[in-house]
Amino acid sequence: MLVVRVPNCVVSAARQSFRTKVAPQLTTHNYGIVCRNMASQARTSLRKRITKSNTLKEAAGKPADGTAITMGQGLIAGAGIAGIGALCYYGLGMSSEAGAIDRAAFWPQYVRDRIKTTYAYFGTGIASTAASAYAISRNPNVMAKLMPKSMWGALGMMAVLMGSGMVCMSIPYHEGLGMKQLAWLGHSALVGGILAPLSLLGGPLLIRAAWYTAGMVGGLSSVAACAPSEKFLYMGGPLAMGLGVVVVASLGSMWFAPGTAIGSGLYAVSVYGGLVLFGGFMLYDTQKIMKKAEVYPLYAERPFDPINSAISIYTDTINIFIRMVMILSSGGGSKRK
């Protein structure tokens, strides 16, 4: 028994010595290794974040190489070819379906009067805008007050413009000269005041942009009239999503210089993409006006509102004109390389 007990005591003493002397040293050593590893990983992670941040800053500040502008010009060219092709296809009667203009012969007189009145108010709005812009451009003091001094000023003017449009649309329509008609004239005159600073680019350029806008609007309206009556009404959802993209690009271009790669890309989306987008809206809104004039009840509680119908194509025309001015003023993009 003594032989057995002696080794157990030795083993017990050795285990106790290991716990009190060797184990603490090993634990401290391992803890130091873990700390060094964690510190190294933290330094590596921080270095990667700094490198990534520098890469994003370099990408944001990288000079534009003209690729975005070239792609935008190609988009416009492709859309123009598609528009001419659609006009020839539907205008020559090559479609198997009857176009909206073919159905016009069967329209009741009240449908024709609705469409005629809608385009009369559209023309009145365009004339009011042009007259207001010309009158304000001849008064430098008034024009200086209307020019936004900062980004927040521009956003404030946009808010005022949207508010006036909403007020105009909310007023019930009655024939003759009333609150609705006065609100429409006031809204279109306000748009003219906002557009007045464009006169600083020169009268010849604005006249060219106006002619190009008239040609584009007339061509798209002809396509919509010759196409089947509901051919473009399905585009409402995609056009709304595209509008969101263009609005975001327009706001983003306020923060990035147009000479950078990101700024040039946002500019191309806002201008060239916006031109194609509002061309699509012109097709959609034109057919929507004809469809609404056909199906709106003759003896409804509220009469057919031609001003609310005209606002849509009026807004499309103004946005097309603004983008035409921007493209012509930049020389088609050659000054932004």
Side-chain angles (χ1 to χ4, degrees):
M1 294 297 293
L2 183 59
V3 176
V4 177
R5 289 177 182 174
V6 172
N8 287 339
C9 294
V10 173
V11 172
S12 178
R15 185 180 295 120
Q16 184 66 25
S17 177
F18 177 84
R19 290 176 179 174
T20 56
K21 296 181 180 180
V22 180
Q25 294 179 2
L26 292 176
T27 303
T28 303
H29 178 68
N30 292 337
Y31 180 75
I33 294 175
V34 172
C35 290
R36 285 195 297 271
N37 289 339
M38 292 179 64
S40 178
Q41 291 176 1
R43 286 194 298 270
T44 303
S45 177
L46 180 61
R47 192 179 298 112
K48 288 182 179 179
R49 283 197 292 267
I50 294 175
T51 303
K52 184 177 181 179
S53 177
N54 292 335
T55 303
L56 292 176
K57 290 181 180 179
E58 292 173 359
K62 183 180 178 181
D65 57 2
T67 302
I69 302 299
T70 303
M71 293 177 63
Q73 293 172 345
L75 178 64
I76 294 297
I81 293 173
I84 294 174
L87 181 59
C88 295
Y89 180 76
Y90 293 118
L92 296 176
M94 301 173 66
S95 175
S96 59
E97 302 178 54
I101 197 171
D102 298 324
R103 300 175 54 184
F106 304 99
W107 283 344
Q109 186 60 40
Y110 70 87
V111 174
R112 299 183 183 184
D113 292 341
R114 288 173 174 178
I115 296 176
K116 185 186 301 184
T117 307
T118 297
Y119 278 91
Y121 279 116
F122 166 70
T124 302
I126 294 295
S128 174
T129 299
S132 173
Y134 178 77
I136 293 175
S137 66
R138 305 298 294 177
N139 192 328
N141 294 328
V142 176
M143 189 169 65
K145 294 180 180 180
L146 290 175
M147 293 179 64
K149 304 300 187 297
S150 64
M151 178 188 68
W152 298 110
L155 294 176
M157 293 182 66
M158 291 175 58
V160 172
L161 185 62
M162 293 176 62
S164 68
M166 294 175 64
V167 169
C168 179
M169 296 182 68
S170 65
I171 299 175
Y173 173 79
H174 298 286
E175 293 184 0
L177 183 61
M179 291 298 299
K180 182 83 172 184
Q181 287 76 9
L182 293 177
W184 171 235
L185 290 175
H187 173 70
S188 56
L190 180 60
V191 174
I194 293 176
L195 296 181
L198 294 178
S199 62
L200 299 175
L201 297 174
L205 185 144
L206 297 182
I207 293 175
R208 285 174 58 199
W211 277 113
Y212 292 164
T213 301
M216 183 174 176
V217 170
L220 292 172
S221 299
S222 300
V223 171
C226 294
S229 58
E230 298 182 7
K231 185 68 177 179
F232 300 111
L233 293 181
Y234 75 93
M235 300 195 317
L239 288 173
M241 291 187 290
L243 180 62
V245 174
V246 170
V247 169
V248 170
S250 300
L251 294 176
S253 61
M254 297 181 180
W255 279 275
F256 296 96
T260 62
I262 293 181
S264 177
L266 293 173
Y267 170 84
V269 172
S270 176
V271 177
Y272 295 98
L275 185 60
V276 174
L277 175 74
F278 286 104
F281 267 115
M282 180 61 68
L283 294 171
Y284 171 80
D285 290 328
T286 301
Q287 288 203 334
K288 186 177 178 180
I289 288 173
M290 293 187 290
K291 187 67 176 178
K292 188 175 181 179
E294 287 183 285
V295 303
Y296 197 85
L298 181 60
Y299 300 103
E301 181 179 355
R302 297 184 65 171
F304 177 80
D305 194 335
I307 293 181
N308 285 2
S309 297
I311 285 180
S312 58
I313 55 175
Y314 169 83
T315 304
D316 300 337
T317 303
I318 294 298
N319 278 282
I320 290 173
F321 172 73
I322 291 173
R323 281 156 178 80
M324 286 290 187
V325 172
M326 295 176 70
I327 292 173
L328 293 176
S329 65
S330 64
S334 59
K335 294 182 180 181
R336 291 184 174 268
K337 294 182 179 179

